[in-house]
Amino acid sequence: NAGVTQTPKFRVLKTGQSMTLLCAQDMNHEYMYWYRQDPGMGLRLIHYSVGEGTTAKGEVPDGYNVSRLKKQNFLLGLESAAPSQTSVYFCASSQTSGADTGELFFGEGSRLTVL
Amino acid sequence: GEDVEQSLFLSVREGDSSVINCTYTDSSSTYLYWYKQEPGAGLQLLTYIFSNMDMKQDQRLTVLLNKKDKHLSLRIADTQTGDSAIYFCAETSPRGNLIFGKGTKLSVKP
């Protein structure tokens, strides 16, 4: 049972390039999330999804887009990367929301550097 | 808006107790959580407490909740080097997603 898998694990981009991070979960979870983790800033929610075909903005959505075409996958896109998007990105999934002890299961993270 | 505050660093000696503190703002949070992040890994749920409880104990872990002061603490008894990690406090936002604190890095010295 793989849990939550993120690809790629590492990527270096030049300013202005685009890329997509893929998150896949095999637990049939309804909810999926994308967070970024920066030193001294903790985890900040970028976008999330409460089910297949749905997406919603989190705390820091600007510069990112997401899609949830299949229940098991949640894609995070950067259309025109900026150095401020250098970060470690974490995907997470849960069966229910945090209001119902919805335990989040995290991937191992994707380290993105934008030069 | 929702906010979760916790100190950034804590250093203890092996065998001592560790106490990590957290304050939160949303009094309507149904549950409050502690997550643990080991180096190079994602977060893992350590424990959680229901908002109508004052205390929860799970082996070496004790969670204390003071709703009046919106204060949450995590006590780790007999701290081991394997407990070295970043510990995140989290509350539930009105939308149901979790709001995390910045994390407390626990260093355990032999």
Side-chain angles (χ1 to χ4, degrees):
Chain A
N1 198 347
V4 178
T5 304
Q6 297 181 224
T7 52
K9 290 186 169 42
F10 301 94
R11 183 75 186 270
V12 178
L13 288 177
K14 294 181 180 178
T15 297
Q17 286 185 316
S18 63
M19 75 158 295
T20 300
L21 295 175
L22 170 64
C23 176
Q25 52 95 3
D26 61 3
M27 297 171 282
N28 201 36
H29 283 171
E30 292 293 332
Y31 294 71
M32 295 188 75
Y33 312 82
W34 275 108
Y35 289 90
R36 60 177 289 173
Q37 184 177 28
D38 302 292
M41 299 295 292
L43 265 75
R44 292 181 292 171
L45 182 64
I46 305 171
H47 286 280
Y48 65 103
S49 168
V50 301
E52 181 179 321
T54 74
T55 63
K57 293 181 180 180
E59 183 185 354
V60 288
D62 293 343
Y64 305 95
N65 55 75
V66 287
S67 64
R68 183 101 181 266
L69 298 179
K70 293 183 179 180
K71 186 176 184 179
Q72 64 268 34
N73 295 336
F74 195 30
L75 278 64
L76 177 71
L78 285 72
E79 290 187 350
S80 179
S84 61
Q85 295 177 304
T86 293
S87 187
V88 181
Y89 292 86
F90 286 97
C91 177
S93 71
S94 64
Q95 180 53 31
T96 59
S97 76
D100 297 310
T101 66
E103 177 181 356
L104 268 62
F105 292 83
F106 282 82
E108 293 186 343
S110 298
R111 184 176 293 275
L112 175 65
T113 302
V114 183
L115 303 176
Chain B
E2 308 92 13
D3 196 17
V4 178
E5 296 285 341
Q6 51 184 131
S7 55
L8 295 182
F9 302 98
L10 177 65
S11 180
V12 301
R13 292 215 171 269
E14 192 173 18
D16 288 350
S17 292
S18 307
V19 179
I20 302 172
N21 295 300
C22 166
T23 57
Y24 61 96
T25 56
D26 191 344
S27 58
S28 65
S29 286
T30 310
Y31 296 93
L32 294 146
Y33 302 84
W34 285 103
Y35 278 78
K36 177 183 180 182
Q37 183 182 31
E38 296 185 352
L43 280 68
Q44 285 187 306
L45 179 65
L46 197 59
T47 187
Y48 66 89
I49 187 167
F50 188 47
S51 59
N52 70 353
M53 295 172 65
D54 298 325
M55 184 181 83
K56 179 180 181 181
Q57 190 149 4
D58 184 3
Q59 299 182 337
R60 291 189 298 122
L61 305 178
T62 303
V63 178
L64 295 178
L65 175 60
N66 181 329
K67 284 196 71 176
K68 175 177 172 291
D69 296 336
K70 297 180 186 173
H71 183 267
L72 184 73
S73 68
L74 173 70
R75 178 177 180 268
I76 305 173
D78 187 25
T79 311
Q80 302 298 306
T81 54
D83 295 322
S84 294
I86 303 176
Y87 292 81
F88 291 89
C89 173
E91 66 173 352
T92 311
S93 80
R95 290 184 295 180
N97 59 279
L98 297 190
I99 305 295
F100 288 91
K102 292 181 171 53
T104 299
K105 184 173 183 178
L106 175 64
S107 298
V108 183
K109 299 180 180 179

